[in-house]
Amino acid sequence: MRNKSRNQLQQDYLNAYAGAAVEGGLTLTASRSAQGVFFVSEEGKNIRAVKPYAYLGGEQDAHHERAMYELLSGMGFLTLKSLSVERPAGQSTTYHVTEHIPGLVTLAEIMRTDPSEPSVASMVDESVRATAHTMGLLHARGISLGDAQTKNFAIIGQDTSQAAVFDLPGGGTPETGHRRTAPFTDDILTFVRSAIHNRYDNTDKLRQHVLAPYVEGAAGNPVTDLSRGIEHASTLIDTPDVARTAA
């Protein structure tokens, strides 16, 4: 089956749910899945975010992501509120529908803002620090993310004290297992590479606002030894040009 375009997937969804309309003014530019997240509205309902899974095994991934969101939410972490996983009759695509959160800005977008203003630079640092600490806390509970790029974390509104995490079909837990042989190391290295790729590449800032809060959050990890990941991340931070080239 050939891959469908984002517009085709949107139309398939609208054909299945009469009365729904795409909200063209809303975008998630830094966080597109392979098929593209889009937003829909319907009379009497709040705006919803729709993520298509249009590949073999996509339905399983969508249900797994929904379970990850519910797990994280139950543990007090910020994430998306899953509303449903839907596979319309006659379609091969599965859609994971979540609540739209106004004011959600991805960390990747925040990192690309102009840091020349001290207040903006401080906000960027606070957002990065909150995100790294959140990832450390998750790792401390044995939860891996699977794709810890900066586009998959967000700050909601003006609150830079904690970060939301999403896009978790590749995430893992002690109960479900992990999809990678070194999931926690992969997460922290992916995050550092992504930060450097988004021009957050000052070695001192990476140590202060990425590595230090991550280590603080992960300090109580009861599941596995994170020292190897921390060591590799420290080496990568010392050679940002290598990470930038790899990204």
Side-chain angles (χ1 to χ4, degrees):
M1 181 182 72
R2 67 182 180 87
N3 292 332
K4 291 188 175 183
S5 70
R6 183 168 181 262
N7 288 338
Q8 287 174 312
L9 290 166
Q10 287 181 4
Q11 192 57 54
D12 285 349
Y13 186 86
L14 297 181
N15 290 341
Y17 298 99
V22 170
E23 289 288 321
L26 293 173
T27 60
L28 201 59
T29 54
S31 299
R32 298 285 171 82
S33 65
Q35 291 76 35
V37 173
F38 57 93
F39 298 87
V40 299
S41 61
E42 193 172 348
E43 187 174 353
K45 296 183 179 180
N46 293 328
I47 295 173
R48 308 185 301 279
V50 181
K51 180 179 180 181
Y53 284 83
Y55 55 84
L56 186 65
E59 185 170 8
Q60 180 180 351
D61 282 354
H63 281 287
H64 178 68
E65 182 174 59
R66 175 179 170 89
M68 291 291 292
Y69 287 170
E70 291 175 345
L71 173 66
L72 266 59
S73 179
M75 297 173 70
F77 289 98
L78 292 179
T79 188
L80 302 183
K81 181 179 180 181
S82 177
L83 300 176
S84 62
V85 172
E86 306 166 355
R87 185 176 181 182
Q91 292 196 25
S92 59
T93 301
T94 299
Y95 301 90
H96 186 190
V97 183
T98 59
E99 192 176 73
H100 166 58
I101 303 178
L104 182 150
V105 183
T106 68
L107 184 63
E109 291 171 301
I110 291 172
M111 284 177 163
R112 295 188 188 115
T113 57
D114 184 1
S116 58
E117 288 290 332
S119 61
V120 174
S122 177
M123 181 272 292
V124 173
D125 289 342
E126 290 172 4
S127 300
V128 172
R129 188 174 186 86
T131 303
H133 188 255
T134 295
M135 183 165 59
L137 291 172
L138 287 164
H139 285 180
R141 290 158 175 77
I143 298 170
S144 64
L145 306 178
D147 186 10
Q149 296 184 70
T150 54
K151 68 179 183 177
N152 295 329
F153 297 90
I155 298 298
I156 300 174
Q158 301 299 313
D159 184 6
T160 56
S161 64
Q162 56 181 329
V165 57
F166 52 91
D167 203 2
L168 297 172
T173 71
E175 291 74 27
T176 64
H178 303 277
R179 299 193 176 187
R180 298 174 184 267
T181 56
F184 305 107
T185 297
D186 287 344
D187 277 353
I188 183 60
L189 292 181
T190 295
F191 184 80
V192 171
R193 290 190 186 102
S194 183
I196 292 170
H197 180 67
N198 283 293
R199 303 197 297 268
Y200 198 85
D201 54 3
N202 179 278
T203 297
D204 291 338
K205 281 182 173 287
L206 287 167
R207 285 197 170 280
Q208 182 179 356
H209 301 301
V210 175
L211 195 59
Y214 171 78
V215 170
E216 179 185 347
N221 190 318
V223 178
T224 189
D225 181 9
L226 297 177
S227 60
R228 177 173 294 183
I230 293 168
E231 180 183 350
H232 288 335
S234 180
T235 300
L236 190 61
I237 286 170
D238 287 335
T239 55
D241 288 339
V242 175
R244 193 182 296 107
T245 302

